[in-house]
Amino acid sequence: MEAAGAGGLADPERLPHLIDRLYRAAWGLCGSPHDAEDLVQETLARVLARPRVLRRETALPYLLRALRNTYLTGLRSASARPRTVGMPEEAAELYCAPGADPVALLEQRRLFELIAALPRPFREPLVAVDVAGLTYAEAAAALGVREGTIATRVFRARHRVARAAG
């Protein structure tokens, strides 16, 4: 979604349209649907606490950068927090769409586990491009690296995931 114009404030009314993409990106970073949900909520709470001015940028790359920064801050302070446990299998139905194919859901879960197991330099570009749907240029801006670096890391991350999936 676009900002409200050059120098305009991000429109909070448009944020619900981005939550699904943010959730998928967070799940790719965390490897846990529960932690991903918490990460998205914390990120949006921080962003909405103070109005932001977006210059020459759409809201999604900005929010993904904020999501990544919130995730990294959480990692740094993880030793002071109690550890979370994985979601019980019977609770997985909460995240399933009605009538969803169970085999596809298992494959999706396995894919997110493989993505979460990647080293951070490969995981973050893969999540930005393949999970959140950013272009290479948007991902480069959000992650603060060159576009060529994003392309290389996404290629290598895809190769690692494919090899691990067997």
Side-chain angles (χ1 to χ4, degrees), residues 3-92:
L9 295 175
D11 184 6
E13 298 297 321
R14 294 183 181 182
L15 290 179
H17 301 290
L18 302 174
I19 289 176
D20 187 45
R21 292 171 83 179
L22 289 173
Y23 174 75
R24 289 192 315 261
W27 192 358
L29 287 173
C30 299
S32 160
H34 175 73
D35 290 342
E37 192 173 292
D38 291 344
L39 178 59
V40 169
Q41 287 178 2
E42 184 176 348
T43 300
L44 290 177
R46 287 181 181 196
V47 168
L48 293 174
R50 290 183 294 148
R52 304 297 206 273
V53 176
L54 301 179
R55 290 184 175 85
R56 298 175 307 211
E57 183 176 27
T58 60
L60 184 61
Y62 175 82
L63 289 172
L64 285 173
R65 192 167 47 250
L67 181 86
R68 177 178 170 256
N69 291 340
T70 303
Y71 173 71
L72 294 175
T73 299
L75 285 181
R76 284 186 218 109
S77 63
S79 62
R81 292 189 315 220
R83 296 253 180 214
T84 60
V85 295
M87 181 175 69
E89 291 298 320
E90 60 272 5

Side-chain angles (χ1 to χ4, degrees), residues 9 12 19-20 26 40 51 61 75 81 96 99 101 105 108 110 112 118 132 136 143-145 148 152 155 158:
L9 295 175
I19 289 176
D20 187 45
V40 169
L75 285 181
R81 292 189 315 220
C96 300
D101 178 25
L105 292 172
Q108 180 186 35
R110 175 70 177 137
F112 277 110
L118 289 171
Y136 285 0
L143 297 174
V145 296
T152 300
F155 173 81
R158 287 174 181 160

Side-chain angles (χ1 to χ4, degrees), residues 96-166:
C96 300
D101 178 25
V103 174
L105 292 172
L106 287 173
E107 289 174 0
Q108 180 186 35
R109 178 176 290 210
R110 175 70 177 137
L111 179 62
F112 277 110
E113 289 171 356
L114 292 173
I115 292 171
L118 289 171
R120 192 170 77 205
F122 295 107
R123 181 178 61 235
E124 290 175 350
L126 185 69
V127 166
V129 172
D130 287 349
V131 178
L134 294 181
T135 65
Y136 285 0
E138 291 171 331
L143 297 174
V145 296
R146 294 182 315 137
E147 190 173 340
T149 302
I150 293 294
T152 300
R153 289 181 181 172
V154 167
F155 173 81
R156 290 180 180 165
R158 287 174 181 160
H159 180 72
R160 286 181 179 211
V161 169
R163 189 175 33 173

